[in-house]
Every structure is written in structure tokens, then in C-alpha cells.
Amino acid sequence: MASFKPTKIPVYPKLGEKVTQDTLYWKNYKAPVQIKEFGAVSNIDFSPVAPHNYAVTAFTRIHIYGPCSQEPVKTFTRFKDTAYCGRFRSDGQLLVAGCEDSVVRLFDVSGKVALRMFKGHTKAVHVTDFTSDRYQIFTGSDDYTCRLWDIPNAAELTTYQEHTDYIRCGVASKLNRDLFITGSYDHTLKVFDARADKSVMTMEHGQPVESLLLYPSEGLLVSAGGRYVKVWDLLKGGQPLVSLKNHHKTVTCLAFSSNGQRLLSASLDRHVKVYNTTSYKVVHNFDYAAAILSLALAPDDESIVVGMTNSILSIKHRKHTEESMETMSQQRRRPSYRVFVKGKNYVPKQDDYLVSKPVKEHLAKYDRQLKKFNVSKALDTALQTWFRWRKPEITVAVMKELNRRGTLKNALAGRDEEQLSRLLHFVIGNVVDTRFAPILVTAAEMILDIYKSVIGQSALIDRQLLRLQNLLETEINLERELLEVLGMLDTMFATSIARKEVPYSDIGRYNGLAQGEASSSRPELQVT
């Protein structure tokens, strides 16, 4: 009796990921370190001076972490309510933060108690930052105002009330101490000059603005709001340059790489996109486990720190050259492929005594059902969720084997509404795939032949059959259009090829004979 042959699953070529310099650069990070915070991480800010500690604002606390520490080296807890936007001064010695209780607090990084408390806002303060001269602070609040404060005197200098909704982001110029920019939920960006009584420039983003970022040259401004990331030219009066829409949900934060040539955007869709600032194309993508609220990069891109809505702080540290070499050497020390295939191709000699060891064949579940001639159960096994979504080629291979045996129609028959719906769902999802089309078209024809008498009894099945019909009609129309285009291209190629006259000699013209010989040997025709 012949042994059972398992179903042959075809192996289709996979399109490999295009490896670029950006791919190698942004993938050169270790596995992320995850730290549980007390609440959603709303802001992350790196200190500009070594050792480049970073402040993490989460719930009613601000933790300061070292570049390689998993425990906070400093904690500020003097907040009565949720803290917002903890940011370092350019010398790394002071830190400012807003709060839900409308009070702005200024801390000495080496101390615990607030050095200054600025009171004047009437609602939560979500935006705080230092001006470039280090002696002033600007703030933005839910009371629709942004204010400028003097640090030595703890006094309010200027108040601007031009926004008509919450102010949730802002950035101060590092080149001009009088300039700062705010973004609001009223869809506008406003540029303020402390020497003027009102804003000097207004731009319309079109969505509630969540984050702002200035280019290092400060000639361009990046804004994020809704699903859009937009770039504005400040030197041309706020003219829009680029509008990017690569996220599926609201973009919450922005960051630049250390050299300013890559722009990073993070979103509630759990993705971080890396853009080339020349072409504004996505060159890399990071995936995270939860919606992202905050993002920051360490100097020289040594670390990527991301804060999420599930209170998790994720830190990725860059692999150094020696660590990469060590990883490669460990990979080299693993047994090579030839160790496992050693001796498999050995041919015994004539005098050798061969001791054979029976090899137990392990069959897949669908093959075990096929071996027992349970064709319906074999097809049900191949239609399980994992096979349908991850390995559709296995399901199609089982159908092909059943069709070869002539039992595919029997396997498709006798199904209830749920089983038939699952089968139609698979056919609809893969029938236009050129790898699977031949067998799935056959299966679809058999399904229609078997169940044509019950059409109209189930609304779900009727909807799926209509979807299948529309899908096939669309595919047929596309193929017709492609054939028309192919015919046009053939005509163009045929007319574009120049017709060249092939030169030939007199001898060749008369089949190797000289002209005189050819004329004499040519028979004369007589007309009677």
C-alpha cells in the first residue's frame, strides 16, 4: 500500500524590505526599556547640558532620569494637581512646569522646593518654556491667554489674549529672546514679539494644534494637529510649504534628530514616523504598544524616549559599535547550516551494512483529515482564522488537493450560514490575488452551483455574494483596461522602431550567381 503524501504547500517569493541607510541607522537600537509611571506621560524634555538627563512629566510628578538609569535621580512632587510641560533651561540648572491649578512653578534642579510661583492664569497651564536670554518665561493656558514672566522679580510682563480656544503648545526662539510661537485648539498658530502689543503673524492650521517645532535655522516652523503635519516658511510671512498626512489618528508630538535632517512625528495611532526633511518622505517607522503622547530624542540620537497613554515610558538606547560586533560574533558562534545537513547526502558503499531507522512522519491536522478522507473537516481546518489570515497559501493548497481528488464539491457542500460566510469571506479576500485566482474562481463557481437554490434566505450571504460579484466585475474591467493599454503600447513600440533597409550585394540578389549568369540562366517566357 502506498504511503500518504502530505499536501504540497507552494512557497511564494517574498518581497524583501528595502534596506537604506536610514533603515540601518534607526534600527540600530537595543530592545526598549519600559518604566511604569503614575499616569499618562504628557511631556519629555532632555537637558541641553551633559550628562543630558531628561524630565518626564506624568500626573502630579516630574521625574528626572539619568541617561542610563531606570530609576529617577530626582523627583518633584510639589504639585496639587496634574503637572504639565516640565522643561529645562538652556543651562540645565532650572526647570519650569505648569499645572492644572493654574500656577506656574520654577524649580532648581538640585533642590526640591519651588524657587518661584507665578500666579495670574485662571485655568490650567499646558505650555511653559524659557526665552533665549534665560531670564524670562512664557506660558500658555486654557484661559486663552499667553503671558510673559520675569524670573528675577517673579512678575508678569505682558499678556496676550488673541486665541479663542485652549493654548496647548508653544515654542520659544533660541536666536531671538523676544519671539515665541503658540498653537491653539482654535486651529491657529500665532507668532508673538515681546516688543509688540499683539501677534505679528498668524497661520491657519485647519485642525486643533497639538505640537510646534522650530527648525534649527528658525526659518521654518512645523505644526502638528489632527492627522496633519505642516511646514510653514516664516521668512515668507507664514506661507505653507508642505502638508503631510501619514498618520491614521491625531499627531501629538514632534521632534528633530540631532543633525536636523530627520523629522519625527508621533501619534495616537501608536506609530512614530521618521521623515526626510529634504523630500518629506517617510524613511522609517516605529511601532509601539499604546497611543503616544510625548516623544524626545537625546543629543546625538543616543536614546529615543516615548511616553504613552497607558503610563508606560519606553526608552530605546543606541547600540554602540563594540556591542554590535559582540552580537555579530555571537551569531557567528551558532552552529552553521552544514552542521545540520552533515551526512545526509552520504552514499553507502557496496560492502556497507545499512541500518535504517524508521522515521515517523508528522502530518498537519488538515493532512490527517485528508488521510481519513474527511474532506469537509480538512477544509474546515484549513479555513481556521490563523491559516486564513497568516497563511492563505495553505488554505488554497488544500482546496487544490481536494480539486485534484475530485472531492472539492463535496467539501464545499452541506455548510450552514456561518461556515458558508467564512468560506465566502476567504474567497472575496483572495480571489483577485494572481497566485490563488485559478483555484478560487473554480471554488466560487462550485459554491454558486451548490447554493443557488438557497439564495435570498440569508441577508448575510446575499451581501457577500453581491460583494463577490462587484469585485469580479471591477477586476474584469481593470483587466480590459490593461489589455487596451497593452495594445496601445504595442502599437507605439511597433511604430517607434525605425525600419532599416538591409544592404545586399548583386551576388546575393541573384542567389550567388553573377548578374550575367543569372540573366542567361533565367528561362524565357513565351506568350502564345
Side-chain angles (χ1 to χ4, degrees), residues 397-415:
V398 172
M399 287 184 175
K400 193 172 182 179
E401 175 64 19
L402 291 171
N403 189 48
R404 186 188 69 81
R405 295 184 179 196
T407 56
L408 179 57
K409 200 165 188 176
N410 296 338
L412 295 173
R415 296 182 173 272

Side-chain angles (χ1 to χ4, degrees), residues 288-423:
Y288 286 88
I292 301 170
L293 290 180
S294 51
L295 165 72
L297 266 72
D300 298 326
D301 303 333
E302 283 296 315
S303 302
I304 300 176
V305 186
V306 167
M308 292 174 271
T309 54
N310 60 355
S311 308
I312 295 295
L313 184 70
S314 174
I315 306 117
K316 289 183 178 180
H317 297 288
R318 180 168 291 283
K319 294 178 184 176
H320 296 289
T321 308
E322 57 272 12
E323 294 177 358
S324 301
M325 293 298 293
E326 183 180 352
T327 304
M328 292 175 63
S329 63
Q330 288 178 356
Q331 292 176 350
R332 290 195 195 101
R333 284 197 293 268
R334 294 176 182 172
S336 60
Y337 174 73
R338 63 177 177 271
V339 174
F340 298 101
V341 298
K342 186 178 180 181
K344 285 196 173 185
N345 298 325
Y346 179 76
V347 179
K349 298 178 181 178
Q350 186 175 3
D351 298 333
D352 288 345
Y353 180 75
L354 182 63
V355 180
S356 61
K357 182 181 178 181
V359 179
K360 186 177 180 181
E361 190 175 24
H362 295 279
L363 297 175
K365 192 174 179 181
Y366 51 85
D367 277 330
R368 293 199 297 269
Q369 298 293 347
L370 286 173
K371 190 175 182 181
K372 297 176 184 178
F373 300 100
N374 296 330
V375 291
S376 293
K377 290 183 178 179
L379 184 56
D380 289 339
T381 304
L383 283 170
Q384 290 177 353
T385 305
W386 190 88
F387 290 120
R388 284 188 290 127
W389 289 102
R390 298 291 183 88
K391 296 284 186 180
E393 60 269 18
I394 292 179
T395 308
V396 175
V398 172
M399 287 184 175
K400 193 172 182 179
E401 175 64 19
L402 291 171
N403 189 48
R404 186 188 69 81
R405 295 184 179 196
T407 56
L408 179 57
K409 200 165 188 176
N410 296 338
L412 295 173
R415 296 182 173 272
D416 57 20
E417 182 182 13
E418 181 181 354
Q419 293 174 332
L420 183 58
S421 174
R422 190 185 307 124
L423 180 60

